[in-house]
Amino acid sequence: MTLSPPRPRKQPRQRRAIETCAAIIEAAARILEGGGPEELNTNRIAERAGVSIGTLYQYFPDKQAILVALIRREREALLQEMRAIPQESGDALRAMVDASIRHQFARPDLARSLELIEVSFPLDAEAAAMAHEIAAISSGLLARRFGRIDQTDLLTAVVMGRALVNAAGQGMIPFEALAERVVLAIAGYLEKVAGRSAAGAGN
Amino acid sequence: MTLSPPRPRKQPRQRRAIETCAAIIEAAARILEGGGPEELNTNRIAERAGVSIGTLYQYFPDKQAILVALIRREREALLQEMRAIPQESGDALRAMVDASIRHQFARPDLARSLELIEVSFPLDAEAAAMAHEIAAISSGLLARRFGRIDQTDLLTAVVMGRALVNAAGQGMIPFEALAERVVLAIAGYLEKVAGRSAAGAGN
Amino acid sequence: MTLSPPRPRKQPRQRRAIETCAAIIEAAARILEGGGPEELNTNRIAERAGVSIGTLYQYFPDKQAILVALIRREREALLQEMRAIPQESGDALRAMVDASIRHQFARPDLARSLELIEVSFPLDAEAAAMAHEIAAISSGLLARRFGRIDQTDLLTAVVMGRALVNAAGQGMIPFEALAERVVLAIAGYLEKVAGRSAAGAGN
Amino acid sequence: MTLSPPRPRKQPRQRRAIETCAAIIEAAARILEGGGPEELNTNRIAERAGVSIGTLYQYFPDKQAILVALIRREREALLQEMRAIPQESGDALRAMVDASIRHQFARPDLARSLELIEVSFPLDAEAAAMAHEIAAISSGLLARRFGRIDQTDLLTAVVMGRALVNAAGQGMIPFEALAERVVLAIAGYLEKVAGRSAAGAGN
DNA sequence: AATGAATGAGTATTCATTCAT
DNA sequence: CATGAATGAATACTCATTCAT
């Protein structure tokens, strides 16, 4: 895992190659699900994907690249769901929270592992752009209910929400009524700060 | 880092031995501060502590044990501060949050690294007991202001608070007015759920 | 790079095939020029030649064969020049040295790399024959000026000459007045040994 | 074989460690003698030295470092001999040539392999200093017989001499009367250029 | 013939841990 | 008690070569 950018590998052209590529990413996902980041090594990934180690390196310049591709795959899935939420929805906040929870609990162990990895990880430009879009969508959805929100307050709300969903995914807090609790937490905070700035404006 | 239970090593009795032990733990802390978990290896710890690798293994059965000891040391420090908060304090919640923030920002890089390590870590009984005591103290402090709180709601509040402080430590949200925001978030949530259960009880 | 004898591949008959073959050899030359022997691998050669790796192996049984072909191509070029020197030339030695220098400095980095490779290389029969012809031509050219020369002395002179040209190519000695220096060195040596054998014959 | 400087390894303190270190270097020498540079890999070196691969890396940061140490060892041996030649010696040139030949033919295959390696090798400061000292000594020894010599002519003579000794070591020219031939070659050249500059000065 | 996907033995290097001194 | 030499399984990654399409 060096920091120097490795030269890019060839793009798969034939159908078989594309499948191989996907198999490698999915193999990494499965290993993360069943054992955590320290079990994840390139030889194991290749074996689990049913390809040779050489094949793996045809498509991914290094181990990190596989993880980046996996993170992108997962984020893309969440993004799809969030893009699909109608802005005029009666309860957009709830829809957003539901999407997050669905995503997290679809493959909770995977989500947990990736969470861990992402924080200690220099994401590439595309991954950063995705994170940005998620934030933008959240902002838009929340604005409808809570009015114009300070950037910091929005971030705070998102951090809170993510933390609660993750905590539930890790079994720290129960899954029961999770969505409601997350919505309450976010709403509680945003109403409070709305009140604060209103009061501040009133002075 | 094997998972097999390491046999316990001798407890240091003499003053010099205790110092050696502390030096090893602090060396680990310094390495984590200045480079993250992948820089942390036993040879480096020994070197930085100024002892030989053999000596290190006199006091710690394996690498994990050093980390466990470090985590305990840090948690103990936080616990001290939280135990010192008077129950009758006018704003016990704020005092609690302040203690957490102080602790986090005393050595933010260390706190961050340990955060990462802790989640992927089978803590021993003592560490679990500490976590329990922190929860109990929090519960006590919060109960005074918010009445009897459901265990799950308490946990939820603690998770939220920790997440925000950590996020600030990692630079995801600004440090400015952090304590206020955390207090607002916790208060916002607990008031909401208090209202809900009151309403629920009323029905 | 195994030592087992590779089975010969088909000879290219069609014009396109000959071009492909030449492109592969030139690609190897370019890679050697711009990075040295450790950058040279079959996949890179194929890519640089604009053909697939499979095609490369249609024409060359293994990596070595490509290098052998390249060495042959280069030697052939030098040989052409040396064959063209008229035996009756006033200064055949100088003409020979000039040809060597021209050849070396036409593509100095390539010449240098090949020099390195050749010495650690089992040349095939044809390459050996070429080396022989170069020696024979040199011998003929030198004989005219220095009389019948002992084989060993001839070889010695050739080795000296090559070493000086190579050293200049690698920047170890300056390029300035190189031809003169080489001629002086060879002449100096051959005159000395001529004197010695004359004296020896006189005894 | 990266170019980035790897961090230095610990110096051997105990006698056993020093022996291990020497054994590793000698193992590398033996492998080079019996098979050339491509047979040389760290696992093989360790095995041949009778130590584990881990031990090897305790003392050498990477493969290159072993080669550098070996080159230094060999050069030091030659340097010893050349330093021992008395300046007032009747035939210092011959003594110098003899030393070179003795050195080369003590372990000819090793000398040959190292020759090959050295040219494609970024030598460290110490190795460069040694090369410099050899040149200085040669210069001094030659000056006594040939008067003040132009730097370039000196270098030219040294290059010629080395090339002939190497060529003999590789079997390209016979060993018989090698020293005489080398002396003749060097003397022949230096006398010629001395004459040239004298003639030039005379005009 | 040409393509490029796939192979896997091989290579450098790390690091937790043991044990003789 | 302390030292540091030694271990070797494990890991990321390369590259010559084969073969199905």
Side-chain angles (χ1 to χ4, degrees):
Chain A
M1 281 223 207
T2 55
L3 292 176
S4 61
R7 27 189 137 111
R9 296 296 150 114
K10 65 171 154 235
Q11 288 303 318
R13 299 184 190 288
Q14 300 174 9
R15 178 204 303 255
R16 186 164 55 135
I18 292 169
E19 280 164 11
T20 297
C21 227
I24 290 166
I25 294 172
E26 179 57 24
R30 290 249 168 79
I31 292 168
L32 283 177
E33 264 176 327
E38 51 252 38
E39 309 254 301
L40 193 79
N41 65 267
T42 52
N43 291 301
R44 189 121 61 201
I45 294 172
E47 187 192 10
R48 189 89 154 227
V51 300
S52 79
I53 183 67
T55 297
L56 183 153
Y57 277 94
Q58 294 260 359
Y59 301 107
F60 299 92
D62 56 22
K63 190 181 159 187
Q64 271 214 53
I66 302 170
L67 283 169
V68 167
L70 175 56
I71 289 171
R72 184 168 61 186
R73 190 190 79 173
E74 293 299 304
R75 261 216 252 266
E76 188 67 54
L78 174 58
L79 212 45
Q80 295 279 10
E81 289 213 63
M82 299 211 33
R83 284 200 200 101
I85 299 172
Q87 293 266 3
E88 331 77 34
S89 155
D91 199 348
L93 170 56
R94 174 64 189 253
M96 205 177 88
V97 170
D98 280 340
S100 298
I101 291 175
R102 239 187 344 262
H103 180 251
Q104 167 89 349
F105 283 84
R107 301 180 72 171
D109 294 339
L110 175 58
R112 185 194 176 185
S113 278
L114 288 180
E115 193 74 27
L116 220 68
I117 289 168
E118 280 175 53
V119 299
S120 54
F121 220 74
L123 285 202
D124 64 348
E126 188 186 353
M130 277 186 180
H132 222 79
E133 190 183 349
I134 292 180
I137 293 178
S138 308
S139 178
L141 293 175
L142 293 173
R144 200 162 173 88
R145 170 154 162 202
F146 298 98
R148 236 187 189 297
I149 314 164
D150 175 54
Q151 262 300 322
T152 296
D153 287 329
L154 175 68
L155 256 174
T156 302
V158 169
V159 164
M160 273 169 43
R162 276 180 63 125
L164 293 178
V165 175
N166 288 336
Q170 291 163 40
M172 288 170 54
I173 60 177
F175 175 72
E176 194 209 339
L178 176 59
E180 285 83 358
R181 261 201 303 280
V182 175
V183 168
L184 284 178
I186 291 176
Y189 175 71
L190 290 180
E191 286 167 12
K192 283 255 177 193
V193 294
R196 181 183 59 168
S197 60
N203 282 350
Chain B
M1 278 219 212
T2 54
L3 292 175
S4 60
R7 0 178 198 140
R9 294 291 151 113
K10 60 180 146 256
Q11 290 304 315
R13 304 207 174 278
Q14 300 169 14
R15 179 203 301 255
R16 180 142 134 260
I18 291 170
E19 280 166 11
T20 299
C21 223
I24 290 166
I25 293 171
E26 179 58 22
R30 291 248 168 80
I31 292 167
L32 282 177
E33 263 177 328
E38 48 249 42
E39 308 255 300
L40 193 78
N41 64 270
T42 51
N43 288 295
R44 189 121 64 203
I45 294 172
E47 187 194 7
R48 189 90 153 227
V51 300
S52 76
I53 183 67
T55 299
L56 183 152
Y57 275 93
Q58 297 269 350
Y59 294 107
F60 298 93
D62 57 22
K63 189 184 163 185
Q64 271 214 54
I66 302 170
L67 283 169
V68 168
L70 174 56
I71 289 171
R72 184 168 59 188
R73 188 190 80 173
E74 292 301 304
R75 262 216 252 266
E76 188 67 55
L78 174 58
L79 213 46
Q80 296 278 10
E81 289 214 63
M82 299 209 36
R83 284 200 200 101
I85 299 171
Q87 293 266 4
E88 330 76 34
S89 154
D91 198 347
L93 170 56
R94 174 64 190 253
M96 206 177 87
V97 169
D98 280 340
S100 297
I101 292 175
R102 243 191 337 266
H103 180 252
Q104 167 89 339
F105 283 83
R107 301 180 73 169
D109 294 339
L110 176 59
R112 186 191 177 186
S113 278
L114 287 180
E115 194 74 26
L116 224 66
I117 289 168
E118 281 176 53
V119 298
S120 55
F121 222 76
L123 286 199
D124 64 349
E126 187 186 354
M130 276 185 180
H132 222 79
E133 189 181 350
I134 293 180
I137 293 177
S138 308
S139 178
L141 294 175
L142 293 173
R144 200 164 173 86
R145 170 153 161 204
F146 298 97
R148 229 182 197 301
I149 313 165
D150 175 54
Q151 261 301 320
T152 297
D153 287 330
L154 175 67
L155 257 173
T156 302
V158 169
V159 165
M160 273 169 42
R162 277 181 61 124
L164 294 178
V165 175
N166 288 336
Q170 291 163 40
M172 289 169 53
I173 59 176
F175 175 72
E176 193 209 339
L178 177 60
E180 284 82 358
R181 262 201 301 281
V182 175
V183 168
L184 284 178
I186 291 176
Y189 176 70
L190 290 180
E191 286 167 12
K192 281 256 178 193
V193 295
R196 181 183 61 166
S197 60
N203 281 349
Chain C
M1 280 220 210
T2 55
L3 292 175
S4 60
R7 10 189 184 129
R9 294 292 151 112
K10 60 180 147 252
Q11 290 303 316
R13 303 205 176 280
Q14 299 168 15
R15 180 203 301 255
R16 180 142 134 260
I18 291 170
E19 279 166 11
T20 300
C21 223
I24 290 166
I25 293 170
E26 179 57 23
R30 291 250 168 79
I31 293 168
L32 282 177
E33 263 176 327
E38 50 249 40
E39 309 255 300
L40 192 79
N41 65 270
T42 51
N43 288 293
R44 191 120 64 200
I45 294 172
E47 186 194 7
R48 190 91 152 223
V51 301
S52 76
I53 182 68
T55 298
L56 183 152
Y57 275 91
Q58 299 267 349
Y59 295 107
F60 297 93
D62 57 22
K63 188 184 164 186
Q64 270 215 54
I66 302 170
L67 283 169
V68 168
L70 174 57
I71 289 171
R72 185 168 60 188
R73 188 190 80 173
E74 292 300 303
R75 262 217 252 265
E76 188 67 55
L78 175 57
L79 213 45
Q80 297 277 11
E81 289 213 64
M82 300 214 28
R83 284 200 200 102
I85 300 171
Q87 293 266 3
E88 330 75 36
S89 155
D91 198 348
L93 170 56
R94 174 64 191 253
M96 206 177 88
V97 169
D98 280 340
S100 297
I101 292 174
R102 242 189 339 265
H103 180 251
Q104 166 89 349
F105 283 82
R107 301 179 71 169
D109 294 339
L110 175 58
R112 187 193 176 185
S113 277
L114 288 180
E115 193 73 28
L116 224 66
I117 289 168
E118 280 176 54
V119 298
S120 56
F121 222 75
L123 286 200
D124 63 350
E126 188 186 355
M130 277 186 179
H132 224 78
E133 190 182 349
I134 292 180
I137 293 177
S138 307
S139 178
L141 294 175
L142 293 173
R144 205 168 169 83
R145 170 156 163 201
F146 298 98
R148 233 189 191 298
I149 314 165
D150 175 54
Q151 261 302 320
T152 297
D153 288 329
L154 175 68
L155 257 174
T156 302
V158 170
V159 165
M160 273 169 43
R162 277 181 59 125
L164 293 179
V165 175
N166 289 336
Q170 292 162 39
M172 288 169 53
I173 58 176
F175 175 72
E176 194 209 341
L178 177 59
E180 285 83 359
R181 262 201 301 280
V182 175
V183 168
L184 283 179
I186 290 177
Y189 175 71
L190 290 180
E191 286 167 13
K192 282 255 178 195
V193 295
R196 182 183 59 168
S197 60
N203 281 350
Chain D
M1 281 223 206
T2 55
L3 292 176
S4 61
R7 28 193 142 110
R9 295 297 150 114
K10 64 171 153 233
Q11 290 303 319
R13 300 184 191 287
Q14 300 174 10
R15 179 204 302 256
R16 184 162 59 134
I18 291 168
E19 280 165 11
T20 297
C21 227
I24 290 166
I25 293 171
E26 179 56 24
R30 291 248 168 80
I31 292 167
L32 282 177
E33 264 176 327
E38 50 252 39
E39 309 254 300
L40 193 79
N41 64 267
T42 51
N43 290 299
R44 190 121 62 201
I45 294 172
E47 187 192 8
R48 189 89 153 227
V51 301
S52 79
I53 183 65
T55 297
L56 185 153
Y57 276 94
Q58 293 261 358
Y59 301 107
F60 299 93
D62 56 23
K63 189 181 158 186
Q64 270 214 55
I66 301 170
L67 283 169
V68 168
L70 174 57
I71 289 171
R72 183 169 61 187
R73 190 191 78 172
E74 293 300 304
R75 260 216 252 265
E76 188 67 55
L78 174 57
L79 212 45
Q80 296 278 9
E81 289 212 64
M82 298 209 36
R83 284 201 201 101
I85 299 171
Q87 293 266 5
E88 330 77 34
S89 155
D91 198 349
L93 170 55
R94 174 62 189 255
M96 204 177 89
V97 170
D98 280 340
S100 297
I101 292 175
R102 243 191 335 268
H103 180 250
Q104 168 88 335
F105 283 83
R107 302 180 72 171
D109 294 339
L110 175 58
R112 184 192 176 187
S113 278
L114 287 181
E115 194 74 27
L116 221 68
I117 289 168
E118 281 175 53
V119 298
S120 55
F121 220 75
L123 286 202
D124 64 348
E126 187 185 354
M130 276 187 181
H132 221 79
E133 189 181 350
I134 291 181
I137 293 177
S138 307
S139 177
L141 294 175
L142 293 173
R144 199 160 175 89
R145 170 153 163 204
F146 298 97
R148 235 186 192 297
I149 314 166
D150 175 55
Q151 262 300 321
T152 297
D153 288 328
L154 175 68
L155 255 173
T156 302
V158 169
V159 164
M160 273 169 43
R162 275 181 64 125
L164 293 178
V165 175
N166 288 337
Q170 293 162 40
M172 288 169 55
I173 59 176
F175 175 70
E176 194 209 339
L178 177 59
E180 285 83 358
R181 261 200 302 281
V182 174
V183 168
L184 285 178
I186 291 177
Y189 176 71
L190 291 180
E191 286 167 12
K192 283 256 177 194
V193 294
R196 182 183 59 168
S197 60
N203 283 349

